[in-house]
Amino acid sequence: LYTAPDSCEGRCGEPFSEEDECHCHPGCERHHSCCEDYERHCGPDGFSSSRDSISDQELLQLSEQLYRVDHNKARPSDVAINPQHLAEPDETGDQQDRSPQPLYKYVNEELFSKPTYASFIKLLDNYQRATGREEEVTAEELGEQDRFLEEVMKTELMRTLFTFLQGKNRYSSEQEFVEDLKEMWFGLYSRADGERDSSGFEHVFSGEVKKGKVSGFHNWIRFYLLEKQGVVNYFSHNFNGPWDTYPDVLGLQFSWDGFYKEVGSAFVGCSPEFEFGLYTLCFLARPGRACHLSLGGHRLSVQTYPWTKSTYGSGRRFIATAYVMSP
């Protein structure tokens, strides 16, 4: 279902990576490894000049900048977690609950009254988690999508991201950026049986169940709310990030109404716009590949994949998944 990008659009001059299906760096012609549209985009008269590519260094710098301006993130006193059992690699798949207590000891729910949190939480119950069942989107739900995008675009974090992408000639206006965010994240496509049953937002933030297993579900707020209701059971963790403040990163095992997630990952304590913005950046800059970032002086990577079976607009891809990678 997932493939690396096969176009040089916006990639001219980017560093060589063995992960790429085809290449857009200046030496690719010599190695006969260029993407088919290399000349059209990266030649002397090409559409995508090398200054519009996003370098590895720029990703490190911008991610640190976004980390600094995440003004709505949880303070250390707002969230207390209890990770309990650290699972060995051979334990993550055995579905044994080795942590008798919930993961979240305390969350200051006043956070959830902030506009980006409140509008984010309204979106979480808009989905049927089973793949293969068509999503029916009401006018009210479309309005909730618009409200969320409106609220996140008021934040310094998302304005910083837009300014950077506009400088790279990815978007000519904020309106164009918001319209594309709505399509890439909320546009529906089929994961099973030809039904328009999924979207990037549903998969990444709300979570799905496919073939008897939890699929996606990478959001700490969603996890906390469902754990509080008693429908999510935390089993163990296989990674706890080096951050001593929020956002932090946790790799974890859990069940959702009896459906199991063997290795999940989530930022903990970040604002909704932080995750939404960081995943968007990586999807646009390094689709289908590891996107190497830096937060508070610590390196980490985000993996995104485009949905390759359908497109929107002039051949643009929906988000299939996005998640922070835990070693």
Side-chain angles (χ1 to χ4, degrees):
L1 297 182
Y2 305 141
T3 61
D6 54 4
S7 169
C8 281
E9 184 177 359
R11 294 176 54 204
C12 301
E14 74 175 18
F16 170 80
S17 170
E18 289 183 356
E19 298 170 359
D20 293 344
E21 189 176 277
C22 60
H23 303 283
C24 308
H25 61 93
C28 70
E29 290 180 297
R30 196 167 64 253
H31 296 101
H32 307 291
S33 62
C34 299
C35 299
E36 285 186 12
D37 59 3
Y38 173 79
E39 189 62 32
R40 185 160 67 90
H41 283 290
C42 308
D45 303 314
F47 294 105
S48 305
S49 70
S50 59
R51 64 186 167 82
D52 294 339
S53 67
I54 298 173
S55 71
D56 289 351
Q57 188 60 35
E58 285 173 319
L59 285 173
L60 295 174
Q61 291 169 345
L62 181 60
S63 54
E64 284 288 4
Q65 195 176 357
L66 298 179
Y67 179 74
R68 285 195 301 274
V69 299
D70 185 16
H71 303 307
N72 287 327
K73 68 186 175 189
R75 296 162 303 185
S77 60
D78 287 330
V79 178
I81 62 172
N82 183 18
Q84 300 165 80
H85 184 75
L86 177 61
E88 298 296 330
D90 61 349
E91 292 179 334
T92 59
D94 64 13
Q95 303 193 32
Q96 295 295 310
D97 182 0
R98 294 181 168 88
S99 301
Q101 302 300 317
L103 173 60
Y104 285 91
K105 287 197 290 189
Y106 170 76
V107 172
N108 177 9
E109 294 193 10
E110 286 182 17
L111 279 172
F112 301 160
S113 63
K114 293 187 176 192
T116 58
Y117 284 82
S119 58
F120 173 80
I121 289 169
K122 278 190 180 303
L123 295 168
L124 295 174
D125 63 358
N126 289 353
Y127 301 101
Q128 303 183 68
R129 68 183 179 188
T131 57
R133 295 174 61 189
E134 180 151 5
E135 294 290 346
E136 295 179 14
V137 185
T138 66
E140 182 182 1
E141 289 170 353
L142 287 171
E144 288 173 354
Q145 294 172 12
D146 290 336
R147 178 71 192 280
F148 172 69
L149 292 170
E150 185 183 311
E151 291 300 341
V152 296
M153 287 308 299
K154 292 177 184 175
T155 66
E156 185 179 356
L157 189 149
M158 287 298 288
R159 290 199 303 272
T160 299
L161 175 61
F162 166 67
T163 299
F164 174 81
L165 294 170
Q166 186 181 39
K168 292 292 182 180
N169 290 319
R170 302 302 170 97
Y171 299 100
S172 58
S173 67
E174 187 173 311
Q175 180 184 352
E176 184 189 357
F177 180 46
V178 171
E179 287 171 357
D180 198 36
L181 286 172
K182 187 165 185 178
E183 287 289 348
M184 76 169 79
W185 278 107
F186 294 103
L188 294 173
Y189 51 81
S190 174
R191 283 187 195 266
D193 304 328
E195 303 286 353
R196 294 170 75 238
D197 61 349
S198 187
S199 68
F201 187 93
E202 177 187 6
H203 180 85
V204 172
F205 295 106
S206 186
E208 298 180 296
V209 171
K210 184 174 183 179
K211 296 181 179 175
K213 293 184 178 180
V214 176
S215 181
F217 197 144
H218 298 286
N219 179 255
W220 77 274
I221 300 167
R222 173 72 160 164
F223 190 101
Y224 165 75
L225 293 171
L226 292 182
E227 186 179 59
K228 185 181 173 186
Q229 292 172 25
V231 294
V232 159
N233 180 19
Y234 170 72
F235 280 24
S236 56
H237 70 289
N238 61 295
F239 174 76
N240 193 348
W243 294 270
D244 55 11
T245 183
Y246 296 116
D248 200 350
V249 177
L250 199 68
L252 67 165
Q253 292 70 50
F254 62 92
S255 73
W256 178 17
D257 267 347
F259 300 103
Y260 190 60
K261 182 75 172 181
E262 181 173 341
V263 180
S265 64
F267 286 105
V268 176
C270 65
S271 68
E273 61 266 27
F274 178 83
E275 259 182 304
F276 190 72
L278 218 59
Y279 290 157
T280 298
L281 169 65
C282 285
F283 182 69
L284 294 171
R286 301 287 186 269
R289 291 170 291 155
C291 175
H292 303 300
L293 308 173
S294 178
L295 303 180
H298 297 289
R299 296 292 180 97
L300 81 164
S301 300
V302 163
Q303 179 74 48
T304 66
Y305 287 107
W307 187 256
T308 60
K309 293 187 171 184
S310 54
T311 59
Y312 67 91
S314 53
R316 295 189 176 193
R317 303 285 192 190
F318 300 103
I319 290 175
T321 192
Y323 54 91
V324 57
M325 290 197 282
S326 53

